[in-house]
C-alpha cells in the first residue's frame, strides 16, 4: 500500500511538471529544455516572496503570479525572435536559457540548500491516505493540485474559445493567423501557463523537501514522462507519468535505490527505439522535433 | 464604383533569394468578382498570400511596392491584423484544421464581429452548404476534397470579410461540385456584399464567375480586362481555352500579344 501511495505522489509530481513540456510542444512545436530551470526559478520566486511576508496565503499566490508573468516574458523577450527560425535553433535557445538561469540563481540566491517552508511557518505533517499508507500533507496537496490543473487544462482546451485557438495554432499556425488569431499572444499565453504549472510543482516540492539546484533533475526526469505519453498529448503525459513513476518506485524498492535517476531515461531510450511518437502522440508530430 | 484594393508594383522574394513577384499591379473594385489566371509558378499564390499577409514561417518578404485596402496600407502587416481589417483567405493547401471538427473550424475566428454576428454567419454557411451541417461533428481531416473546400470557404466567410481571396477554387473538384460551389458563392456574395479576388486554373470557370480578370506570368501581370474582352482575345483563347485556330501556344505569347495590342 505504501508503494501505491508513493507511486501516486511521484506520478503527480511528474504529471504536474510534464504538462508544461506538452503544452508548449503541442502549441508551438518547440521543445522547451529549460522547463526544469524555469520550474526551479518558480520555487526561488517563492523563496523571495517568503522573505517579504510570512503569510503563505500571500507569498504563494504572489510567487505564482510572478511566474505566470515571467513565462510570458520569456516568450515575448526571447522565444518570439525564434519564430521562422529552425526548430533546432529554438531548442538550442531554450538550452542556453536554462544554463543562464542556473548561473543567475546561484548569483542571486547562492547554491546553498534552503527551506522556503521555514519563513512561511509551514510544517508538513503525515497523513493516512490508504490503509497502511502515509504521505506528507504537502504531498497530498500536490496530488490534489495536479488533479485540478489537469481537469482545468482539459476543460480549457476543449471548451474555451482561447483553448480552441491554441489547438488551431498548434495544427496550422499560418492558417490560424489568417483566421485573425494573434500567434504571439497565443504563444505567450502557453509559455505563461507552462511556467505557472511547473513553478507550482517546484514550490510544492521545495516546501516539502527544501530547495537547491537538484530540483532541475526532477524537472528533467519529467521529460521522459511527457515523451513516453506522446509529446503532444495531455492524456499521454498523465499516463506516461504514471508509468515512469511506477517503474522508478518499484525498481528502487526491489532492485537498487541508486537506479532512481537512471530509470526515467532508460524508459526514454527504450521508448525512442520502439515507438518514438509515444503512446498517445501523433506519429508525424515527432518529425518536427 | 470605388476601388477596394490596389496593389502597386509589388515585389516579393522567398528566402531573400528567390524572387517570386517582380512588380505586380492590379486593382479590384468593391463588389466585383475578379479572377487571376496564369501558368504554374507565375506567382498567383504568392500574390494572394502577400495581400493576406506573410508570416515569418517561410521567410517570404515584400521587398517593394504597396498594397492598399480601403485606403489603409497593408504591406508588411501581420496576417491577423489584415484579417481583422476585413480580408479573408482560402488558401491553396492546408485550408482547414484537420484535427478540429467541422463546427470547431467555423468557430476558430477572431474578427471584428461579435458572437451574434458570428452565429448569423455560421447559419448562412450551413444554409448554403447543407452538407457541412450534416457533418458538424466530423473531424475536418476526414472530409472529401469538395467538402473541405466548402468548409474552407465557410470558415473564411465567418471571418466577416469585405474582401475574400480564394486560391484555386476548382482544383481537384468534380465539375458538378464546382458548379454547386460557384452558384452558392455568387448568392453569398450578393447576401453579404462581398468582393472576391480568386485564382483559377480553369479559364472557363473563371470567365463564368468573374467580371474582370488579370493574367499573370513570370511574377507580373501581362494582360487584364473584362472577362468578355479576355475571352474573345485570341492569345487567351489559345493558351487557356484551347479553342484558338493555331492550337496551344506558350504562355509567353500572351505578353507578345499584349505588346502588339499596345503598338496597334
Ligand atoms: N515557400 C516558398 N519558398 C520558396 N519559393 C517559393 C515558395 N513558394 C513559391 N515559391 C516560388 O515562387 C514562384 C511563384 O510561386 P506561386 O506559388 O506564387 O505560383 P502560382 O502561380 O500560384 O503557381 P501554381 O499555379 O502552380 O499554384 C515559383 O517560382 C515558386 O517556385
Ligand atoms: Mg498557386
Amino acid at each position: 500500500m505504501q508503494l501505491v501511495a508513493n507511486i501516486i505522489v511521484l506520478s503527480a509530481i511528474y504529471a504536474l511538471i510534464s504538462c508544461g513540456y506538452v503544452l508548449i510542444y503541442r502549441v508551438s512545436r518547440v521543445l522547451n529544455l529549460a522547463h526544469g530551470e524555469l520550474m526551479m526559478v518558480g520555487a526561488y520566486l517563492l523563496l523571495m516572496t517568503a522573505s517579504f511576508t510570512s503569510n503563505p496565503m500571500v507569498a504563494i499566490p504572489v510567487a505564482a503570479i510572478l511566474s505566470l508573468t515571467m513565462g510570458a516574458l520569456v516568450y515575448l523577450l526571447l522565444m518570439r525572435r525564434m519564430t521562422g527560425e529552425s526548430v533546432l535553433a529554438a531548442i538550442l535557445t531554450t538550452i542556453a536559457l536554462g544554463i543562464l538561469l542556473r548561473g543567475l540563481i546561484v548569483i542571486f540566491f547562492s547554491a546553498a540548500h534552503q527551506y522556503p517552508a521555514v519563513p512561511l511557518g509551514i510544517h508538513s505533517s503525515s497523513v493516512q491516505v490508504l490503509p497502511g499508507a502515509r504521505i506528507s500533507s504537502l504531498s497530498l496537496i500536490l496530488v490534489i493540485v495536479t488533479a485540478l490543473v489537469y481537469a482545468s487544462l482539459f476543460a480549457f482546451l476543449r471548451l474555451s474559445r482561447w483553448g480552441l485557438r491554441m489547438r488551431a495554432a498548434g495544427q496550422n499556425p499560418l492558417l490560424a493567423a489568417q483566421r485573425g488569431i494573434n500567434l504571439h499572444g497565443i504563444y505567450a499565453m502557453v509559455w505563461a501557463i507552462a511556467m505557472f504549472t511547473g513553478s507550482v510543482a517546484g514550490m510544492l516540492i521545495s516546501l516539502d523537501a527544501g530547495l537547491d539546484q537538484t530540483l532541475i533533475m526532477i524537472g528533467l526526469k519529467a521529460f521522459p514522462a511527457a515523451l513516453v505519453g506522446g509529446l503532444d498529448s495531455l492524456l499521454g503525459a498523465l499516463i506516461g507519468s504514471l508509468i515512469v513513476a511506477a517503474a522508478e518506485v518499484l525498481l528502487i524498492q526491489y532492485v537498487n535505490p541508486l537506479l532512481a535517476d537512471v530509470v526515467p531515461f532508460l524508459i526514454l531510450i527504450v521508448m525512442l527505439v520502439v515507438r518514438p511518437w509515444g503512446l498517445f502522440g501523433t506519429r508525424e508530430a515527432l518529425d518536427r522535433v | 464604383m470605388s476601388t477596394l484594393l490596389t496593389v502597386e508594383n509589388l515585389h516579393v522574394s522567398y528566402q531573400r533569394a528567390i524572387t517570386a513577384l517582380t512588380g505586380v499591379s492590379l486593382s479590384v473594385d468593391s463588389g466585383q468578382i475578379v479572377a487571376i489566371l496564369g501558368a504554374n509558378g507565375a506567382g498567383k499564390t504568392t500574390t494572394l498570400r502577400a495581400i493576406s499577409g506573410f508570416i515569418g514561417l517561410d521567410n517570404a518578404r515584400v521587398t517593394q511596392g504597396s498594397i492598399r485596402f480601403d485606403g489603409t496600407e497593408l504591406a508588411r502587416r501581420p496576417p491577423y491584423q489584415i484579417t481583422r481589417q476585413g480580408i479573408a483567405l482560402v488558401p491553396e493547401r492546408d485550408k482547414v484544421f484537420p484535427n478540429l471538427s467541422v463546427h470547431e473550424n467555423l468557430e476558430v475566428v477572431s474578427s471584428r464581429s461579435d458572437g451574434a454576428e458570428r452565429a448569423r454567419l455560421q447559419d448562412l454557411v450551413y444554409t448554403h452548404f447543407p452538407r457541412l451541417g450534416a457533418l458538424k461533428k466530423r473531424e475536418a481531416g476526414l472530409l472529401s476534397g469538395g467538402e473541405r473546400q466548402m468548409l474552407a470557404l465557410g470558415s473564411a466567410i465567418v471571418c466577416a470579410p469585405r474582401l475574400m481571396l480564394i486560391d484555386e477554387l476548382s482544383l481537384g473538384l468534380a465539375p458538378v461540385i464546382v458548379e454547386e460551389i460557384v452558384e452558392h458563392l455568387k448568392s453569398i456574395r450578393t447576401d453579404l456584399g462581398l468582393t472576391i479576388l480568386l485564382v483559377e486554373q480553369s479559364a472557363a470557370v473563371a470567365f463564368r464567375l468573374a467580371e474582370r480578370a488579370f493574367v499573370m506570368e513570370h511574377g507580373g501581370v501581362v494582360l487584364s480586362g473584362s472577362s468578355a474582352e479576355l475571352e474573345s482575345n485570341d492569345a487567351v483563347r489559345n493558351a487557356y481555352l484551347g479553342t484558338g485556330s493555331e492550337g496551344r501556344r506558350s504562355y509567353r505569347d500572351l505578353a507578345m500579344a499584349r505588346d502588339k495590342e499596345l503598338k496597334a
Side-chain angles (χ1 to χ4, degrees):
Chain A
M1 272 305 139
Q2 187 60 48
L3 276 186
V4 174
N6 290 352
I7 289 174
I8 291 176
V9 170
L10 190 61
S11 49
I13 291 177
Y14 287 159
L16 191 53
I17 303 169
S18 60
C19 69
Y21 287 110
V22 170
L23 281 173
I24 291 182
Y25 184 77
R26 178 167 161 168
V27 174
S28 68
R29 301 286 152 191
V30 169
L31 205 52
N32 174 19
L33 291 180
H35 194 53
E37 281 84 356
L38 288 172
M39 162 187 141
M40 174 179 74
V41 169
Y44 276 101
L45 284 174
L46 178 61
L47 194 66
M48 189 184 81
T49 56
S51 69
F52 292 111
T53 167
S54 61
N55 183 352
M57 288 305 148
V58 177
I60 295 176
V62 170
I65 290 169
L66 285 178
S67 69
L68 202 66
T69 317
M70 192 174 149
L73 287 180
V74 167
Y75 176 77
L76 293 172
L77 299 179
L78 180 68
M79 297 312 293
R80 188 161 88 121
R81 310 198 185 281
M82 305 312 296
T83 28
E85 303 297 331
S86 75
V87 175
L88 188 62
I91 296 175
L92 290 176
T93 309
T94 67
I95 295 178
L97 172 68
I99 295 170
L100 182 75
L101 288 175
R102 281 183 213 196
L104 289 178
I105 288 288
V106 175
I107 293 173
F108 286 110
F109 294 95
S110 91
H113 195 78
Q114 299 173 73
Y115 292 90
V118 174
L120 295 173
I122 293 176
H123 305 284
S124 189
S125 55
S126 147
V127 280
Q128 174 112 18
V129 280
L130 291 165
R134 306 186 71 83
I135 60 176
S136 74
S137 52
L138 278 162
S139 300
L140 183 62
I141 293 176
L142 194 137
V143 172
I144 295 169
V145 166
T146 304
L148 283 177
V149 162
Y150 269 77
S152 2
L153 282 179
F154 277 119
F156 175 71
L157 286 174
R158 282 280 138 211
L159 306 174
S160 80
R161 188 163 294 286
W162 284 102
L164 184 63
R165 289 176 190 168
M166 276 187 190
R167 285 192 287 149
Q171 286 174 41
N172 186 342
L174 185 56
L175 186 60
Q178 278 157 347
R179 292 285 170 266
I181 294 168
N182 181 355
L183 289 179
H184 291 313
I186 292 281
Y187 292 158
M189 193 189 279
V190 84
W191 275 83
I193 297 175
M195 169 133 186
F196 171 79
T197 52
S199 298
V200 169
M203 290 176 204
L204 289 173
I205 295 169
S206 63
L207 282 175
D208 212 5
L211 174 57
D212 61 28
Q213 300 238 342
T214 53
L215 193 57
I216 297 168
M217 193 61 201
I218 301 179
L220 275 183
K221 281 159 72 180
F223 177 62
L227 201 110
V228 164
L231 259 180
D232 57 353
S233 156
L234 270 184
L235 181 67
L238 207 53
I239 292 175
S241 302
L242 198 60
I243 293 173
V244 171
E248 189 175 333
V249 169
L250 293 176
L251 285 174
I252 289 174
Q253 176 76 19
Y254 295 113
V255 184
N256 188 340
L258 291 176
L259 285 176
D261 288 346
V262 183
V263 177
F265 297 98
L266 210 60
I267 298 178
L268 176 71
I269 289 171
V270 172
M271 201 64 196
L272 281 176
V273 171
V274 180
R275 198 181 153 91
W277 57 91
L279 293 174
F280 294 85
T282 32
R283 200 183 264 246
E284 42 91 43
L286 213 74
D287 295 345
R288 286 179 264 183
V289 174
Chain B
M1 216 180 281
S2 66
T3 311
L4 187 61
L5 176 81
T6 320
V7 174
E8 254 167 36
N9 192 29
L10 189 67
H11 287 65
V12 168
S13 68
Y14 286 102
Q15 287 140 27
R16 293 203 176 86
I18 307 164
T19 314
L21 299 186
T22 51
V24 168
S25 300
L26 53 83
S27 70
V28 179
D29 286 346
S30 95
Q32 269 190 334
I33 299 186
V34 176
I36 300 179
L37 297 168
N40 292 129
K44 307 179 296 293
T45 297
T46 306
T47 305
L48 291 198
R49 292 186 55 210
I51 297 170
S52 74
F54 284 116
I55 190 161
L57 293 178
D58 61 359
N59 239 321
R61 272 188 189 75
V62 172
T63 51
Q64 232 189 87
S66 79
I67 301 168
R68 271 197 315 282
F69 176 67
D70 202 14
T72 325
E73 176 61 47
L74 292 186
R76 297 174 201 86
R77 288 240 199 141
Y80 77 96
Q81 282 184 9
I82 292 175
T83 306
R84 290 177 191 183
Q85 291 275 322
I87 298 184
L89 171 74
V90 176
E92 187 176 14
R93 287 171 294 165
D94 303 327
K95 51 185 82 182
V96 297
F97 299 106
N99 298 333
L100 301 187
S101 73
V102 166
H103 190 69
E104 283 174 332
N105 264 279
L106 294 177
E107 282 279 315
V108 185
V109 287
S110 162
S111 61
R112 306 165 290 149
S113 60
D114 57 5
E117 170 76 352
R118 179 162 39 237
R120 189 181 74 81
L121 291 170
Q122 283 170 357
D123 280 347
L124 184 91
V125 170
Y126 284 132
T127 341
H128 280 285
F129 302 113
R131 215 180 302 198
L132 292 181
L135 297 170
K136 265 187 188 184
K137 295 245 149 48
R138 179 82 53 92
E139 269 193 21
L142 304 175
L143 298 180
S144 77
E147 291 158 355
R148 202 178 290 224
Q149 183 70 310
M150 292 177 195
L151 180 57
L153 289 167
S155 40
I157 288 166
V158 180
C159 293
R162 282 185 286 163
L163 173 66
M164 207 158 129
L165 309 171
I166 307 173
D167 202 351
E168 307 283 7
L169 181 66
S170 70
L171 189 74
L173 302 184
V176 278
I177 302 268
V178 176
E179 198 78 6
E180 188 186 329
I181 289 180
V182 163
E183 285 318 309
H184 283 292
L185 208 51
K186 277 183 162 171
S187 81
I188 291 171
R189 191 253 307 223
T190 337
D191 285 1
L192 299 180
L194 270 182
T195 307
I196 298 176
L197 176 61
L198 59 100
V199 165
E200 181 52 60
Q201 295 282 355
S202 153
V205 172
F207 290 144
R208 207 155 62 74
L209 190 59
E211 283 118 29
R212 281 180 65 79
F214 292 90
V215 179
M216 282 189 69
E217 209 165 300
H218 303 300
V221 172
V222 290
L223 261 183
S224 69
S226 73
S227 292
E229 278 164 31
L230 289 178
E231 209 170 358
S232 57
N233 179 310
D234 248 1
V236 174
R237 290 174 72 89
N238 278 320
Y240 292 97
L241 299 170
T243 53
S245 46
E246 303 160 50
R248 296 185 87 96
R249 287 192 293 181
S250 85
Y251 298 109
R252 197 176 290 274
D253 293 347
L254 289 174
M256 284 159 53
R258 183 201 49 182
D259 292 343
K260 248 186 262 170
E261 262 170 38
L262 287 179
K263 274 178 206 143

